Amino acid sequence: MRKIVVSMWTTLDGFVAGPDDALDWLLVDDQLQKYERDLVDSAGSLMLGRVTHADFAGYWPLAAQNPDEPDAVRGYAQRLDALEKIVVSASGTIATWQNTRRLTTIDPDEITDLKRGPGGDIVVYGSLSVIQSLARFQLIDELHLLVHPVFLRDGKALFPGGQPPARLELVSAEPFASGVVLLTYRPIDGSAVA
């Protein structure tokens, strides 16, 4: 069965974006880029919310064809462009991007059917409402947190407060030269992440 893998860049204090969605705290190095490329190379699908899908659709297809992009970026972009994209949008208004299909909501039975389908894992980037819905239904199989060595003290949290604690099992920890640490977790059976 395919896994749902959530990959998220985060700060030490648990924020995934600063005020006004600022991402100027990100530390991107060769190791992080290799992780991202390996992740999408083994994936079968991307699952994105409407806004993240529109952001990706506005950038990556162009980067895939841009000879001025470094080879590594262009290769990553070409892989994203080729992947199946599953966009979750209740409104039905989605950006145009090849190989895209729409879900109106996170329905546990529909997601389970997707996981039973052929191909590589389903990778979720950004898309906080999608991640929180998947977590509520205990549908996340792995959580990849790229923890950056910074305290933002304000911003957008990965998970909202007011929820019971969630227990996770550490699968691996890999430090990068930049100071970023890739932490891979699995929910402990019966524990919802959100």
Side-chain angles (χ1 to χ4, degrees):
M1 185 179 283
R2 303 200 295 168
K3 295 183 294 192
I4 291 187
V5 176
V6 170
S7 180
M8 186 62 79
W9 298 2
T10 183
T11 65
L12 282 170
D13 50 354
F15 293 108
V16 297
D20 301 320
D21 292 329
L23 295 173
D24 56 353
W25 49 271
L26 294 176
L27 299 171
V28 179
D29 66 2
D30 291 343
Q31 288 174 292
L32 192 139
Q33 288 180 333
K34 182 181 181 327
Y35 155 78
E36 295 289 358
R37 180 61 195 255
D38 290 347
L39 181 65
V40 299
D41 280 349
S42 64
S45 306
L46 292 180
M47 182 178 287
L48 306 167
R50 180 183 55 80
V51 173
T52 304
H53 179 266
D55 289 346
F56 277 36
Y59 180 77
W60 290 114
L62 297 173
Q65 303 306 318
N66 185 348
D68 295 332
E69 290 285 356
D71 289 344
V73 172
R74 198 169 57 254
Y76 175 78
Q78 289 167 350
R79 179 62 184 146
L80 288 182
D81 200 35
L83 280 172
E84 174 192 40
K85 275 73 71 178
I86 303 164
V87 59
V88 182
S89 172
S91 73
T93 305
I94 60 172
T96 301
W97 192 5
Q98 71 175 352
N99 303 325
T100 294
R101 66 179 167 139
R102 181 176 73 96
L103 301 179
T104 57
T105 188
I106 298 294
D107 175 271
D109 293 331
E110 193 170 14
I111 300 301
T112 301
D113 286 344
L114 283 173
K115 290 171 70 171
R116 287 188 180 122
D121 292 337
I122 301 165
V123 173
V124 184
Y125 283 128
S127 312
L128 292 179
S129 62
V130 171
I131 293 168
Q132 292 163 6
S133 294
L134 290 167
R136 186 171 47 255
F137 293 119
Q138 300 180 13
L139 293 168
I140 297 173
D141 299 293
E142 282 188 5
L143 192 60
H144 295 191
L145 298 177
L146 292 140
V147 182
H148 286 62
V150 64
F151 290 113
L152 281 187
R153 305 183 197 284
D154 187 19
K156 196 175 282 186
L158 178 54
F159 292 108
Q163 301 295 318
R167 301 280 177 205
L168 302 171
E169 170 189 17
L170 179 66
V171 175
S172 64
E174 180 183 354
F176 296 163
S178 64
V180 172
V181 179
L182 169 59
L183 300 172
T184 301
Y185 290 101
R186 286 189 198 118
I188 295 174
D189 290 341
S191 180
V193 175

